[in-house]
Structure formats: structure tokens, C-alpha cells
Amino acid sequence: MRFGIYVYQVNDLVTSIQPKINAMFGYDRAKKSFDDYYVNVSDVAQTNQYTNIFEGKNVVVIHGESMMTNAIGLQFNGVDVTPTLNRLSKEGMYFSNFYSEVSVGTSSDSELTYNTSLMPTKSGTAFVSYSDRVFNSTPKYFNDKGYYTFSMHANNADFWNRRNMHANLGYQRFYAKADFKVEPENTIGLGLSDKEFFKQSIKKLNTINKKNENWYGLFIMLSNHTPFSDVEKYGEFDVSLKETVTHEDGTVEEVVYPYMENTKLGNYFKSLHYADQALGEFITMLDENGLLEDTVFVLYGDHDARLPKADYRRLYNYDKENDSVLDESDPNYVIFDSYQYELGRKVPFIIWTKDMAGSELNMEITDVMGMIDVQPTLGNMFGFYNKYALGHDIFNIRGSNIVVFPNGNWVSDKVYYNSQKGEYLSLTPEAISEEYIKNCTEYTNNLLDVSNNIIVFDLLNEDKYKESVE
Ligand code: GP9
Ligand code: MN
């Protein structure tokens, strides 16, 4: 049930003493590479047309558990899988070429990178092994502006060590399982259903809104979590293929092909449809309570759903006559290899306000972008700057961004690079030079090193640094 947590537990058992050992050796080298890196980074933000556009607005951030971009716009028999995400992406600022950059810390790694513009650590998980480090995190910047900052998640507060880490990241209050009424009939998968979670959250948010002039809140969804097997609780959503056939004698027959029924991907779509509905209900409730008037709504998919490649092959190559998958030799066969799989792991990132549709902010941004770029991009819009962010404001780096993954892979607008194989897939008709691959790979490894050093050696902790100088 708890994909992520098992991998993490094994990893963490082996490395539980490693954080201390890691931090004992190599400080001088780490500090030097840190100083070398930041000597070229400006102390002030680069401004652009989006600077301060949202200053003073309240913020709802949605952590969309396992939400993936490939479901946006997808339909079965004319019915949308994600009508709410479709609407938000059509009406808002939609970053359609956006990747999560998680390691074994899955959900928690996405929260780390979203909040700090740093990458997951090379061993252990930042949320568990390095929760006492200093982070220049987004809630702290909002705290400095006088906002009330909080997070809400109906799971156990200690899951991923959020109790400690959310406090360290600067959230003034973490509303977790104990703050919600969890009845057995209201659970799906790991715990409280998203619909019920949002219903109860609205009550809390109304109180928060009355007491605070400005607030910033993170809402972590839960229902759309692997293994997507609580199918009977997701509500009706057909992933079969239905066709109406008119026979020569005029009789009409509906033919049903099983298509994605009883596959993990099919169940994922049912689960996602439920989560999307919950999100839609939340937006309606926010609106009915007057909570959208002065609010920016931000949504990210936390990571992909790790679904089987074979299921995607079936989705894209269904042979309904034989209820199987087209042969690779078929002229209609759509290739879905490991590169397509990696490129298909995109997650949505959307910034939306009630009145954005039709405005100059209503657009799709197709530049490649990672979770690490969120803090600089939002920071510019809300009026804060973190010099130590390792990502970029996407509007300052258009066309030349590189998204780095914890395993050393990277993707740009031109190439997806697989570091294990030392091979790449070209995404452009342009020729790719060896030098380009070399430079991007160096950039990747350096960024991963600097990020890891910042966390392991606590390099943003100025007090600690002062001590070592004395
Ligand atoms: C747990 C939830 C899921 O509270 O956020 O974590 P994951 O398994 O996706 O890392
Ligand atoms: Mn998750």
C-alpha cells in the first residue's frame, strides 16, 4: 500500500547513521564548491513582467498525489478523466512540460524541492535524515511578509517525519490526522478520502481566513495513491471502449471492448477521476465561501504513479478485434519504450485564479521545467528571492532550461539523457554535439553535488558557519 515508504525504510535503515558520518568529513571541500557556485549568483532577483504580480494575495497550494499530465485531456467514450484539471489548465497558467524530481522520498522529496528549490539528498531522505537543517523555504518568506502559513494533510503527522519537517520549513501549523474526523466509511486507500478531507479543510480555512489578513496554505491530497485498488470507492468511471454498431437490418447494438478495465493504469484513471472530482468540489466550496476572491491557486503533481509500461502500450495500441495489443510491425503501432516512459512521467503544474481565463496570464508554457524551478518562479510573482535556490524562474531561462533528476538523468528542450546508459534521445531535428551532452551532464552533476552539500553540511545555517570561522 505504501509505495515509497518501503523503499525509504530499507534505504533509511542502512543509512540511518550516515547523515552524521556524511557531515563529519568533507566540510571544507563542500564549502569551497558552495562558495565557487554562488560567487556567480546575484544577490538580487532578476525582474521580469511577472515580478510582484501576486503580491499580497492569499495562496492555496494543492499537492496532487500521483497526478500525471498524460491524463489531462484524455477521454474514455467522450468522458474526461480529469475535467477539473482540464479546466484549470485551460483557464490558468499551465506548465505542460513539467517534471517532478523525486528520489526514494517520493511525496516528501517533492515537498522538499517545491519548498526549497533544492534536490533530494543522495542518501537517506531529507525529510527524515536532515530535518534539522536550515532551509530557505517558501513558507518562511511568506511568514516574513506577515502571512499565516499552514499545511493540511489527513494522514499521520509522523509519516515522512512531516511533523518536524513542516515546522522546520516554516509552516506555522500542520493540521494532520488528529485534526480531522476520520470515520471508516470516509476512507479510501491510505486514509481519509480527499472529498471528506476538503470538506473538513474548508471549515478550518474559513476560521483561518477570518483571523488572518493573509494566509498561505498547503493541502496534501491522499486518495490517488498506489496501488489504486479501492476501485469500488472511486465512483463510476468506465475505461472500457464502447461502440454503437448499426446492422444492415437497421438494428443498433452497443459493443463493449474491455480495453483498460482490470489494468493498473485503468484503475489509476478511475482513482484520478475521483481525486479530480474532489478537487473540483474543493474549488466550488472555496468559491461559495468567498475564498477565491483574493487567492492564487497553485497545483503540482507530486510524482508520477509508477505504472507498468505494458499498460501504456495497451492504452496507445489497443487492438479491439483481438482484445490485445497491436504487433510492433503494425503500421499504426505507437512506440512506447523506456524514453517515452520517462518523458511520460510529467506531472501538472498550474497557477490559476478565478479571473485568469482570457487574461494575458492565461497561457500554456511548454518550456521544460522541474519542481526545482517552482520556488524561483513563484518567488518572483509574490515578491521574494532566495539566492540559494538551485532552480530558475522559468520566465528568465526560457529555451535553455535543464531539468535534473536525482539519478543523474537530465532533460532539456533538446535531449533526454540517460546517465546509467550514457545514451540519449534527441527531441529536436537539430544536431546534438558531444559538447552539449558533456556540458549538460556536468551541470547536472555539479547541481546535485552543491544541493547535497547544502543539506548534508547545513551550509545555509549562517550561525554554524560563523562558529567554524571563529
Ligand atoms: C503519505 C502520502 C503518500 O502521507 O503523502 O506518500 P508517498 O508514498 O507518495 O511518498
Ligand atoms: Mn506522493
Side-chain angles (χ1 to χ4, degrees), residues 65 107 302-303:
E65 177 58 47
S107 274
D302 68 340
H303 48 72

Side-chain angles (χ1 to χ4, degrees), residues 24 38 73 77 131 140 156 167 184 207 214 231 236 244 304 311 365 370 387 429 469:
M24 279 163 67
Y38 287 103
N77 306 303
S131 63
K140 289 186 186 170
N156 190 320
T207 312
N214 278 130
V231 185
E236 206 45 48
T244 314
D304 77 308
D311 286 4
I365 292 95
K387 174 179 172 166
V469 167

Side-chain angles (χ1 to χ4, degrees), residues 76-116:
F76 285 87
N77 306 303
V79 185
D80 290 324
V81 178
T82 57
T84 310
L85 289 179
N86 295 359
R87 176 186 160 208
L88 295 174
S89 61
K90 271 200 198 93
E91 295 181 359
M93 218 182 226
Y94 172 41
F95 303 84
S96 59
N97 196 1
F98 181 88
Y99 292 88
S100 160
E101 296 165 289
V102 302
S103 179
V104 291
T106 46
S107 274
S108 73
D109 280 345
S110 76
E111 289 168 51
L112 172 88
T113 305
Y114 168 86
N115 276 299
T116 66

Side-chain angles (χ1 to χ4, degrees), residues 11 99-105 109 113 118-124 304 306 338-339 341-343 345 372 402-411 416-423 440-449 451-452:
N11 182 285
Y99 292 88
S100 160
E101 296 165 289
V102 302
S103 179
V104 291
D109 280 345
T113 305
L118 297 175
M119 292 294 290
T121 47
K122 292 186 178 182
S123 65
D304 77 308
R306 305 196 177 176
S338 55
Y339 281 113
Y341 187 85
E342 292 302 328
L343 292 166
R345 295 175 70 188
I372 202 165
I402 301 165
V403 173
V404 163
F405 297 101
N407 63 359
N409 288 7
W410 52 264
V411 63
Y416 186 96
Y417 180 77
N418 180 320
S419 67
Q420 291 78 51
K421 291 188 180 149
E423 290 170 3
C440 294
T441 305
E442 256 171 44
Y443 169 86
T444 297
N445 294 335
N446 190 34
L447 186 145
L448 289 172
D449 279 347
S451 179
N452 194 62

